[in-house]
Amino acid sequence: MTQQEKKAAEATKIATAMVEMMRSLTGVMDYEVDLLERQDYAGLNGLRTEKARLVRDYQISINRLSEEPDMLKSAGVDIREKLHAEGLRLDEAAHRNASELKSAILATQAIVQTVMDSARDQLTENDAYKNMSDVSQMAGSYSPISQAVAIDQSA
């Protein structure tokens, strides 16, 4: 086996592993979207570790390829096409995943805000935590603007 053939075999091996890794990551992201749509938050907890591992492995592989950008040129055209196609699928899955996660976060924030607003509305007048502008009705006047006062101590 010549040096060129060894290099091509190594490049094909790396590219094939990357295609499989990208398929796995795409599958995990699609599954995460499915869990979010079903509001299965318990399932999301178990998926987080797997997703983090796959993302880390993917980043390591990309960094390795960026160190030797010509490596894939020696791989076959068919494996490079598979790598490209899987990259496009991964990109679509990542955008879909990010959109769903953003929607879930915004929905959760809206629920929290509604609960906070409801709790704020239920405060009684005798509560120690008040809006100071409301206190003015009970105990004189309230002015948020400080005014200087001079005291004559000459007497």
Side-chain angles (χ1 to χ4, degrees), residues 17 20-29 47-61 90:
E20 289 305 314
M21 184 185 326
M22 292 164 76
R23 279 189 187 139
S24 296
L25 186 53
T26 300
V28 166
M29 286 186 190
L47 197 61
R48 187 179 312 139
T49 305
E50 177 68 9
K51 183 179 174 185
R53 183 187 65 77
L54 287 169
V55 167
R56 188 177 50 251
D57 291 349
Y58 177 73
Q59 288 173 336
I60 289 169
S61 295
L90 179 59

PDB file of all heavy atoms in Angstrom, residues 17 20-29 47-61 90:
ATOM      1  N   ALA A  17     -16.423   8.257  10.019  1.00  0.00           N
ATOM      2  CA  ALA A  17     -16.714   8.432  11.449  1.00  0.00           C
ATOM      3  C   ALA A  17     -17.448   9.751  11.697  1.00  0.00           C
ATOM      4  O   ALA A  17     -18.379   9.816  12.512  1.00  0.00           O
ATOM      5  CB  ALA A  17     -15.418   8.380  12.251  1.00  0.00           C
ATOM      6  N   GLU A  20     -21.135   9.430  10.649  1.00  0.00           N
ATOM      7  CA  GLU A  20     -21.897   8.708  11.680  1.00  0.00           C
ATOM      8  C   GLU A  20     -22.139   9.587  12.906  1.00  0.00           C
ATOM      9  O   GLU A  20     -23.233   9.581  13.486  1.00  0.00           O
ATOM     10  CB  GLU A  20     -21.183   7.412  12.068  1.00  0.00           C
ATOM     11  CG  GLU A  20     -21.233   6.352  11.001  1.00  0.00           C
ATOM     12  CD  GLU A  20     -22.647   6.025  10.557  1.00  0.00           C
ATOM     13  OE1 GLU A  20     -23.541   5.841  11.427  1.00  0.00           O
ATOM     14  OE2 GLU A  20     -22.882   5.979   9.337  1.00  0.00           O
ATOM     15  N   MET A  21     -21.122  10.330  13.320  1.00  0.00           N
ATOM     16  CA  MET A  21     -21.258  11.223  14.467  1.00  0.00           C
ATOM     17  C   MET A  21     -22.300  12.307  14.181  1.00  0.00           C
ATOM     18  O   MET A  21     -23.133  12.630  15.027  1.00  0.00           O
ATOM     19  CB  MET A  21     -19.912  11.870  14.798  1.00  0.00           C
ATOM     20  CG  MET A  21     -19.934  12.735  16.027  1.00  0.00           C
ATOM     21  SD  MET A  21     -18.380  13.590  16.299  1.00  0.00           S
ATOM     22  CE  MET A  21     -17.148  12.454  15.729  1.00  0.00           C
ATOM     23  N   MET A  22     -22.258  12.860  12.968  1.00  0.00           N
ATOM     24  CA  MET A  22     -23.211  13.895  12.587  1.00  0.00           C
ATOM     25  C   MET A  22     -24.634  13.331  12.532  1.00  0.00           C
ATOM     26  O   MET A  22     -25.587  13.996  12.941  1.00  0.00           O
ATOM     27  CB  MET A  22     -22.805  14.514  11.244  1.00  0.00           C
ATOM     28  CG  MET A  22     -21.514  15.313  11.338  1.00  0.00           C
ATOM     29  SD  MET A  22     -20.756  15.681   9.740  1.00  0.00           S
ATOM     30  CE  MET A  22     -21.798  16.988   9.159  1.00  0.00           C
ATOM     31  N   ARG A  23     -24.787  12.105  12.053  1.00  0.00           N
ATOM     32  CA  ARG A  23     -26.106  11.453  12.042  1.00  0.00           C
ATOM     33  C   ARG A  23     -26.624  11.281  13.461  1.00  0.00           C
ATOM     34  O   ARG A  23     -27.807  11.527  13.739  1.00  0.00           O
ATOM     35  CB  ARG A  23     -26.028  10.091  11.362  1.00  0.00           C
ATOM     36  CG  ARG A  23     -26.069  10.161   9.883  1.00  0.00           C
ATOM     37  CD  ARG A  23     -26.199   8.783   9.257  1.00  0.00           C
ATOM     38  NE  ARG A  23     -26.061   8.921   7.816  1.00  0.00           N
ATOM     39  CZ  ARG A  23     -25.389   8.096   7.050  1.00  0.00           C
ATOM     40  NH1 ARG A  23     -24.816   7.030   7.555  1.00  0.00           N
ATOM     41  NH2 ARG A  23     -25.306   8.312   5.763  1.00  0.00           N
ATOM     42  N   SER A  24     -25.751  10.850  14.354  1.00  0.00           N
ATOM     43  CA  SER A  24     -26.156  10.668  15.749  1.00  0.00           C
ATOM     44  C   SER A  24     -26.571  11.994  16.376  1.00  0.00           C
ATOM     45  O   SER A  24     -27.592  12.078  17.063  1.00  0.00           O
ATOM     46  CB  SER A  24     -25.017  10.058  16.562  1.00  0.00           C
ATOM     47  OG  SER A  24     -24.698   8.772  16.100  1.00  0.00           O
ATOM     48  N   LEU A  25     -25.791  13.029  16.138  1.00  0.00           N
ATOM     49  CA  LEU A  25     -26.099  14.345  16.695  1.00  0.00           C
ATOM     50  C   LEU A  25     -27.402  14.888  16.112  1.00  0.00           C
ATOM     51  O   LEU A  25     -28.234  15.441  16.842  1.00  0.00           O
ATOM     52  CB  LEU A  25     -24.946  15.315  16.439  1.00  0.00           C
ATOM     53  CG  LEU A  25     -25.040  16.692  17.084  1.00  0.00           C
ATOM     54  CD1 LEU A  25     -25.279  16.604  18.584  1.00  0.00           C
ATOM     55  CD2 LEU A  25     -23.768  17.487  16.801  1.00  0.00           C
ATOM     56  N   THR A  26     -27.612  14.708  14.815  1.00  0.00           N
ATOM     57  CA  THR A  26     -28.872  15.129  14.191  1.00  0.00           C
ATOM     58  C   THR A  26     -30.040  14.375  14.812  1.00  0.00           C
ATOM     59  O   THR A  26     -31.079  14.971  15.126  1.00  0.00           O
ATOM     60  CB  THR A  26     -28.826  14.882  12.667  1.00  0.00           C
ATOM     61  OG1 THR A  26     -27.748  15.634  12.115  1.00  0.00           O
ATOM     62  CG2 THR A  26     -30.118  15.275  11.992  1.00  0.00           C
ATOM     63  N   GLY A  27     -29.871  13.075  15.020  1.00  0.00           N
ATOM     64  CA  GLY A  27     -30.922  12.272  15.643  1.00  0.00           C
ATOM     65  C   GLY A  27     -31.238  12.738  17.056  1.00  0.00           C
ATOM     66  O   GLY A  27     -32.415  12.828  17.442  1.00  0.00           O
ATOM     67  N   VAL A  28     -30.225  13.049  17.830  1.00  0.00           N
ATOM     68  CA  VAL A  28     -30.436  13.521  19.199  1.00  0.00           C
ATOM     69  C   VAL A  28     -31.168  14.862  19.195  1.00  0.00           C
ATOM     70  O   VAL A  28     -32.096  15.090  19.968  1.00  0.00           O
ATOM     71  CB  VAL A  28     -29.096  13.623  19.967  1.00  0.00           C
ATOM     72  CG1 VAL A  28     -29.239  14.412  21.256  1.00  0.00           C
ATOM     73  CG2 VAL A  28     -28.558  12.227  20.270  1.00  0.00           C
ATOM     74  N   MET A  29     -30.770  15.754  18.286  1.00  0.00           N
ATOM     75  CA  MET A  29     -31.435  17.062  18.215  1.00  0.00           C
ATOM     76  C   MET A  29     -32.889  16.916  17.772  1.00  0.00           C
ATOM     77  O   MET A  29     -33.771  17.597  18.300  1.00  0.00           O
ATOM     78  CB  MET A  29     -30.681  17.992  17.271  1.00  0.00           C
ATOM     79  CG  MET A  29     -29.392  18.508  17.847  1.00  0.00           C
ATOM     80  SD  MET A  29     -28.684  19.725  16.722  1.00  0.00           S
ATOM     81  CE  MET A  29     -27.087  19.955  17.442  1.00  0.00           C
ATOM     82  N   LEU A  47     -31.284  13.198  28.042  1.00  0.00           N
ATOM     83  CA  LEU A  47     -30.730  13.448  26.714  1.00  0.00           C
ATOM     84  C   LEU A  47     -29.589  14.462  26.743  1.00  0.00           C
ATOM     85  O   LEU A  47     -28.718  14.456  25.877  1.00  0.00           O
ATOM     86  CB  LEU A  47     -31.850  13.955  25.799  1.00  0.00           C
ATOM     87  CG  LEU A  47     -31.634  13.906  24.319  1.00  0.00           C
ATOM     88  CD1 LEU A  47     -31.414  12.468  23.856  1.00  0.00           C
ATOM     89  CD2 LEU A  47     -32.843  14.488  23.603  1.00  0.00           C
ATOM     90  N   ARG A  48     -29.578  15.297  27.755  1.00  0.00           N
ATOM     91  CA  ARG A  48     -28.592  16.382  27.840  1.00  0.00           C
ATOM     92  C   ARG A  48     -27.156  15.862  27.826  1.00  0.00           C
ATOM     93  O   ARG A  48     -26.298  16.409  27.129  1.00  0.00           O
ATOM     94  CB  ARG A  48     -28.840  17.194  29.115  1.00  0.00           C
ATOM     95  CG  ARG A  48     -28.000  18.424  29.213  1.00  0.00           C
ATOM     96  CD  ARG A  48     -28.288  19.227  30.469  1.00  0.00           C
ATOM     97  NE  ARG A  48     -29.705  19.410  30.658  1.00  0.00           N
ATOM     98  CZ  ARG A  48     -30.311  19.331  31.837  1.00  0.00           C
ATOM     99  NH1 ARG A  48     -29.621  19.091  32.925  1.00  0.00           N
ATOM    100  NH2 ARG A  48     -31.608  19.510  31.948  1.00  0.00           N
ATOM    101  N   THR A  49     -26.875  14.807  28.555  1.00  0.00           N
ATOM    102  CA  THR A  49     -25.522  14.250  28.627  1.00  0.00           C
ATOM    103  C   THR A  49     -25.070  13.709  27.278  1.00  0.00           C
ATOM    104  O   THR A  49     -23.948  13.960  26.846  1.00  0.00           O
ATOM    105  CB  THR A  49     -25.460  13.128  29.688  1.00  0.00           C
ATOM    106  OG1 THR A  49     -25.933  13.653  30.926  1.00  0.00           O
ATOM    107  CG2 THR A  49     -24.063  12.613  29.863  1.00  0.00           C
ATOM    108  N   GLU A  50     -25.967  12.991  26.619  1.00  0.00           N
ATOM    109  CA  GLU A  50     -25.638  12.416  25.308  1.00  0.00           C
ATOM    110  C   GLU A  50     -25.382  13.520  24.285  1.00  0.00           C
ATOM    111  O   GLU A  50     -24.439  13.452  23.499  1.00  0.00           O
ATOM    112  CB  GLU A  50     -26.779  11.500  24.836  1.00  0.00           C
ATOM    113  CG  GLU A  50     -26.571  10.909  23.474  1.00  0.00           C
ATOM    114  CD  GLU A  50     -25.437   9.893  23.403  1.00  0.00           C
ATOM    115  OE1 GLU A  50     -24.898   9.497  24.444  1.00  0.00           O
ATOM    116  OE2 GLU A  50     -25.079   9.505  22.284  1.00  0.00           O
ATOM    117  N   LYS A  51     -26.219  14.536  24.300  1.00  0.00           N
ATOM    118  CA  LYS A  51     -26.059  15.651  23.362  1.00  0.00           C
ATOM    119  C   LYS A  51     -24.732  16.371  23.619  1.00  0.00           C
ATOM    120  O   LYS A  51     -23.999  16.689  22.671  1.00  0.00           O
ATOM    121  CB  LYS A  51     -27.225  16.625  23.497  1.00  0.00           C
ATOM    122  CG  LYS A  51     -27.173  17.775  22.519  1.00  0.00           C
ATOM    123  CD  LYS A  51     -28.380  18.695  22.708  1.00  0.00           C
ATOM    124  CE  LYS A  51     -28.292  19.920  21.850  1.00  0.00           C
ATOM    125  NZ  LYS A  51     -29.400  20.849  22.119  1.00  0.00           N
ATOM    126  N   ALA A  52     -24.410  16.612  24.863  1.00  0.00           N
ATOM    127  CA  ALA A  52     -23.152  17.294  25.209  1.00  0.00           C
ATOM    128  C   ALA A  52     -21.951  16.480  24.744  1.00  0.00           C
ATOM    129  O   ALA A  52     -20.983  17.032  24.207  1.00  0.00           O
ATOM    130  CB  ALA A  52     -23.078  17.545  26.708  1.00  0.00           C
ATOM    131  N   ARG A  53     -22.005  15.160  24.918  1.00  0.00           N
ATOM    132  CA  ARG A  53     -20.904  14.296  24.481  1.00  0.00           C
ATOM    133  C   ARG A  53     -20.735  14.354  22.969  1.00  0.00           C
ATOM    134  O   ARG A  53     -19.626  14.508  22.450  1.00  0.00           O
ATOM    135  CB  ARG A  53     -21.147  12.853  24.928  1.00  0.00           C
ATOM    136  CG  ARG A  53     -19.997  11.909  24.571  1.00  0.00           C
ATOM    137  CD  ARG A  53     -20.333  10.458  24.858  1.00  0.00           C
ATOM    138  NE  ARG A  53     -21.416   9.938  24.036  1.00  0.00           N
ATOM    139  CZ  ARG A  53     -21.289   9.571  22.749  1.00  0.00           C
ATOM    140  NH1 ARG A  53     -20.131   9.673  22.138  1.00  0.00           N
ATOM    141  NH2 ARG A  53     -22.318   9.107  22.076  1.00  0.00           N
ATOM    142  N   LEU A  54     -21.848  14.260  22.245  1.00  0.00           N
ATOM    143  CA  LEU A  54     -21.778  14.287  20.788  1.00  0.00           C
ATOM    144  C   LEU A  54     -21.287  15.638  20.269  1.00  0.00           C
ATOM    145  O   LEU A  54     -20.488  15.700  19.332  1.00  0.00           O
ATOM    146  CB  LEU A  54     -23.143  13.960  20.187  1.00  0.00           C
ATOM    147  CG  LEU A  54     -23.564  12.495  20.284  1.00  0.00           C
ATOM    148  CD1 LEU A  54     -25.029  12.328  19.905  1.00  0.00           C
ATOM    149  CD2 LEU A  54     -22.676  11.621  19.418  1.00  0.00           C
ATOM    150  N   VAL A  55     -21.745  16.720  20.878  1.00  0.00           N
ATOM    151  CA  VAL A  55     -21.293  18.054  20.460  1.00  0.00           C
ATOM    152  C   VAL A  55     -19.794  18.198  20.708  1.00  0.00           C
ATOM    153  O   VAL A  55     -19.057  18.708  19.861  1.00  0.00           O
ATOM    154  CB  VAL A  55     -22.090  19.158  21.185  1.00  0.00           C
ATOM    155  CG1 VAL A  55     -21.446  20.523  21.015  1.00  0.00           C
ATOM    156  CG2 VAL A  55     -23.522  19.190  20.671  1.00  0.00           C
ATOM    157  N   ARG A  56     -19.342  17.731  21.856  1.00  0.00           N
ATOM    158  CA  ARG A  56     -17.903  17.805  22.181  1.00  0.00           C
ATOM    159  C   ARG A  56     -17.084  16.988  21.183  1.00  0.00           C
ATOM    160  O   ARG A  56     -16.075  17.461  20.656  1.00  0.00           O
ATOM    161  CB  ARG A  56     -17.669  17.325  23.619  1.00  0.00           C
ATOM    162  CG  ARG A  56     -16.267  17.526  24.126  1.00  0.00           C
ATOM    163  CD  ARG A  56     -16.110  17.111  25.586  1.00  0.00           C
ATOM    164  NE  ARG A  56     -16.642  15.787  25.875  1.00  0.00           N
ATOM    165  CZ  ARG A  56     -17.760  15.551  26.585  1.00  0.00           C
ATOM    166  NH1 ARG A  56     -18.447  16.535  27.080  1.00  0.00           N
ATOM    167  NH2 ARG A  56     -18.168  14.318  26.807  1.00  0.00           N
ATOM    168  N   ASP A  57     -17.521  15.769  20.884  1.00  0.00           N
ATOM    169  CA  ASP A  57     -16.816  14.920  19.915  1.00  0.00           C
ATOM    170  C   ASP A  57     -16.813  15.554  18.527  1.00  0.00           C
ATOM    171  O   ASP A  57     -15.809  15.504  17.808  1.00  0.00           O
ATOM    172  CB  ASP A  57     -17.451  13.531  19.851  1.00  0.00           C
ATOM    173  CG  ASP A  57     -17.220  12.718  21.117  1.00  0.00           C
ATOM    174  OD1 ASP A  57     -16.391  13.142  21.959  1.00  0.00           O
ATOM    175  OD2 ASP A  57     -17.886  11.673  21.263  1.00  0.00           O
ATOM    176  N   TYR A  58     -17.933  16.157  18.153  1.00  0.00           N
ATOM    177  CA  TYR A  58     -18.031  16.822  16.851  1.00  0.00           C
ATOM    178  C   TYR A  58     -17.050  17.989  16.775  1.00  0.00           C
ATOM    179  O   TYR A  58     -16.341  18.153  15.783  1.00  0.00           O
ATOM    180  CB  TYR A  58     -19.470  17.291  16.623  1.00  0.00           C
ATOM    181  CG  TYR A  58     -19.662  18.055  15.340  1.00  0.00           C
ATOM    182  CD1 TYR A  58     -19.645  17.417  14.110  1.00  0.00           C
ATOM    183  CD2 TYR A  58     -19.872  19.433  15.361  1.00  0.00           C
ATOM    184  CE1 TYR A  58     -19.814  18.118  12.929  1.00  0.00           C
ATOM    185  CE2 TYR A  58     -20.049  20.143  14.186  1.00  0.00           C
ATOM    186  CZ  TYR A  58     -20.017  19.482  12.979  1.00  0.00           C
ATOM    187  OH  TYR A  58     -20.196  20.186  11.815  1.00  0.00           O
ATOM    188  N   GLN A  59     -16.987  18.784  17.824  1.00  0.00           N
ATOM    189  CA  GLN A  59     -16.065  19.923  17.837  1.00  0.00           C
ATOM    190  C   GLN A  59     -14.616  19.465  17.758  1.00  0.00           C
ATOM    191  O   GLN A  59     -13.807  20.075  17.055  1.00  0.00           O
ATOM    192  CB  GLN A  59     -16.281  20.769  19.086  1.00  0.00           C
ATOM    193  CG  GLN A  59     -17.577  21.554  19.055  1.00  0.00           C
ATOM    194  CD  GLN A  59     -17.868  22.251  20.366  1.00  0.00           C
ATOM    195  OE1 GLN A  59     -17.393  21.856  21.426  1.00  0.00           O
ATOM    196  NE2 GLN A  59     -18.678  23.296  20.298  1.00  0.00           N
ATOM    197  N   ILE A  60     -14.283  18.386  18.441  1.00  0.00           N
ATOM    198  CA  ILE A  60     -12.922  17.843  18.389  1.00  0.00           C
ATOM    199  C   ILE A  60     -12.595  17.396  16.965  1.00  0.00           C
ATOM    200  O   ILE A  60     -11.509  17.665  16.449  1.00  0.00           O
ATOM    201  CB  ILE A  60     -12.758  16.685  19.402  1.00  0.00           C
ATOM    202  CG1 ILE A  60     -12.762  17.236  20.830  1.00  0.00           C
ATOM    203  CG2 ILE A  60     -11.482  15.897  19.130  1.00  0.00           C
ATOM    204  CD1 ILE A  60     -12.872  16.172  21.909  1.00  0.00           C
ATOM    205  N   SER A  61     -13.549  16.734  16.321  1.00  0.00           N
ATOM    206  CA  SER A  61     -13.323  16.268  14.944  1.00  0.00           C
ATOM    207  C   SER A  61     -13.157  17.435  13.982  1.00  0.00           C
ATOM    208  O   SER A  61     -12.291  17.403  13.105  1.00  0.00           O
ATOM    209  CB  SER A  61     -14.495  15.398  14.487  1.00  0.00           C
ATOM    210  OG  SER A  61     -14.557  14.229  15.257  1.00  0.00           O
ATOM    211  N   LEU A  90     -27.490  18.317   9.520  1.00  0.00           N
ATOM    212  CA  LEU A  90     -27.129  18.730  10.882  1.00  0.00           C
ATOM    213  C   LEU A  90     -27.410  20.213  11.080  1.00  0.00           C
ATOM    214  O   LEU A  90     -27.930  20.625  12.124  1.00  0.00           O
ATOM    215  CB  LEU A  90     -25.652  18.422  11.169  1.00  0.00           C
ATOM    216  CG  LEU A  90     -25.138  18.821  12.553  1.00  0.00           C
ATOM    217  CD1 LEU A  90     -25.914  18.125  13.659  1.00  0.00           C
ATOM    218  CD2 LEU A  90     -23.650  18.508  12.671  1.00  0.00           C
TER     219      LEU A  90
END
